[in-house]
Amino acid sequence: MITFLGDVALISNELTSEYKPNNPYIFNCEYVIGNKEELKPVTGKINLCSEKYNFSEIFGRNPVAVSVVNNHIYDYGEIGFQSTVTRLKNSGIGIISQNPYYLNDNICLLSYMSFGETNEVAFDSEKVKKEINRIKEKNESVKVIIQIHWGIENHPSINENQRKVGHLLIDMGADLVIGHHPHCIQPIELYKGKYICYSLGNGLFGNINQPSHYDDNGVPKRIYRFKWQSWNRKSLAINYDEITGNITIDELYQKANTLFCKNKNVRIEKYGDLKKNRKLTYIFRKYFLFAASNAFVDGKLFDMQAVKMEMSK
């Protein structure tokens, strides 16, 4: 049995967890681990970085591995990426990427991104298919688990790209698909006897209050603020039995800086509604989050610099 958590970023102080996974666990590492003073930020984006990676203190043990394929792992360039990987490896934590990572003789993990055509993040299905085939040819009983970064932030519904790629991964031989990136829970689908968990939500993620949108001289043009709301604080822990292929679900909730387990062994059917299109919910979430995150900050009624930058996009 192995447990998958959502996005983890130890970017604020005193993050803790009352939830301690009983099984070896894995999550998506959504930030650069390193010293900002020694790193050069990538320009024109939100940059997430922290020196903290005390996972064993927080969760009772270190993760057995983490995914490092996401839109923040290169926030401080190649040097920031290598800083992250070195620290993780030195702590005995495995790295899940586009190269096969064998957790044991029975489980192999891969990680990819797929945001669809509009985000210019290509998903090379032929390369993925060849990789899965190579793994299965060596040992057809090995369970191939794909972690994938996709979807729209704060959107409770999946998009067509997610459905298409999720089904394709199963058709190509994946045994389980675990989704990240939307920062909220999305549905779970049983497709051809295999589970696609479209988004687990935030596992443990501090509020964002960081310099961002750096220029070529390393000067930040904005303080990016993001105060997670109730839907961002809910997440799922997926417990996967590699023998049977079955999953069980624990519902988690982050209250203030602490992660708790709200309910264990929740019915999968609770998250099985793929048809409902919650576009209005997404629009409300998007603008409410922006307003709540930038109101009454730095002694001002509202951060107008944030408004100007959002309008210029």
Side-chain angles (χ1 to χ4, degrees):
M1 187 80 76
I2 185 169
T3 296
F4 290 89
L5 305 180
D7 302 333
V8 171
L10 306 185
I11 56 173
S12 59
N13 294 329
E14 300 176 357
L15 289 171
T16 62
S17 179
E18 291 296 314
Y19 171 74
K20 311 293 184 186
N22 293 324
N23 309 311
Y25 71 98
I26 289 172
F27 57 75
N28 170 54
C29 185
E30 187 82 350
Y31 70 116
V32 173
I33 303 173
N35 184 347
K36 286 184 185 179
E37 304 302 319
E38 300 173 355
L39 301 172
K40 183 178 180 180
V42 171
T43 60
K45 73 184 300 288
I46 303 161
N47 307 78
L48 302 183
C49 181
S50 172
E51 291 187 74
K52 297 174 182 172
Y53 58 109
N54 54 326
F55 307 124
S56 61
E57 179 183 332
I58 292 172
F59 293 108
R61 67 172 95 174
N62 271 333
V64 289
V66 300
S67 170
V68 294
V69 180
N70 57 64
N71 57 315
H72 285 293
I73 204 67
Y74 279 95
D75 280 358
Y76 287 79
E78 179 66 27
I79 295 175
F81 175 74
Q82 293 301 331
S83 168
T84 304
V85 169
T86 297
R87 284 167 167 77
L88 291 170
K89 285 185 174 179
N90 288 344
S91 298
I93 299 170
I95 305 299
I96 304 170
S97 66
Q98 296 180 25
N99 299 314
Y101 176 79
Y102 284 85
L103 187 62
N104 52 45
D105 291 339
N106 301 315
I107 298 177
C108 184
L109 298 113
L110 293 160
S111 190
Y112 299 98
M113 284 199 292
S114 176
F115 289 124
E117 296 176 0
T118 57
N119 294 79
E120 299 180 355
V121 177
F123 177 78
D124 193 329
S125 59
E126 286 304 312
K127 284 187 177 180
V128 177
K129 184 178 180 179
K130 288 178 181 178
E131 198 64 73
I132 294 175
N133 285 343
R134 277 195 289 265
I135 295 167
K136 293 286 189 176
E137 285 170 2
K138 290 179 182 178
N139 184 351
E140 63 180 14
S141 66
V142 168
K143 302 294 185 181
V144 176
I145 301 174
I146 306 290
Q147 286 180 270
I148 188 161
H149 222 70
W150 59 5
I152 300 172
E153 291 184 356
N154 291 293
H155 206 311
S157 303
I158 67 171
N159 60 32
E160 188 56 35
N161 177 67
Q162 287 174 278
R163 186 193 303 273
K164 177 182 175 181
V165 173
H167 288 187
L168 184 61
L169 287 169
I170 299 298
D171 290 338
M172 291 190 298
D175 296 283
L176 174 69
V177 177
I178 298 289
H180 301 286
H181 179 68
H183 301 300
C184 63
I185 296 171
Q186 290 184 337
I188 296 173
E189 180 180 11
L190 182 62
Y191 174 73
K192 294 186 177 179
K194 309 290 177 63
Y195 288 99
I196 305 170
C197 305
Y198 283 100
S199 175
L200 305 191
N202 284 340
L204 185 62
F205 209 126
N207 286 327
I208 302 174
N209 188 347
Q210 303 219 356
S212 68
H213 296 83
Y214 288 85
D215 63 19
D216 291 334
N217 297 316
V219 177
K221 296 299 184 182
R222 175 180 174 184
I223 300 296
Y224 189 85
R225 302 178 180 88
F226 214 86
K227 296 179 181 178
W228 300 120
Q229 302 302 310
S230 60
W231 56 87
N232 305 118
R233 296 179 177 276
K234 297 175 183 177
S235 67
L236 302 179
I238 302 296
N239 306 298
Y240 177 68
D241 186 333
E242 68 269 26
I243 305 301
T244 65
N246 293 327
I247 65 171
T248 58
I249 302 172
D250 297 335
E251 291 179 325
L252 311 181
Y253 185 78
Q254 184 177 329
K255 184 177 182 181
N257 291 320
T258 304
L259 183 67
F260 296 91
C261 182
K262 185 177 180 182
N263 295 300
K264 295 184 75 67
N265 297 318
V266 178
R267 291 185 306 108
I268 298 171
E269 291 77 14
K270 181 177 179 179
Y271 295 98
D273 187 357
L274 294 168
K275 296 180 180 179
K276 188 177 290 186
N277 189 333
R278 300 181 175 129
K279 186 175 181 180
L280 291 178
T281 300
Y282 161 66
I283 293 172
F284 167 78
R285 287 181 176 185
K286 179 180 178 180
Y287 291 104
F288 179 85
L289 266 170
F290 178 76
S293 298
N294 292 285
F296 305 106
V297 294
D298 298 336
K300 295 178 288 188
L301 182 63
F302 206 86
D303 183 358
M304 295 308 298
Q305 180 66 23
V307 175
K308 291 177 182 177
M309 292 202 71
E310 287 295 316
M311 291 180 66
S312 67
K313 290 182 178 179

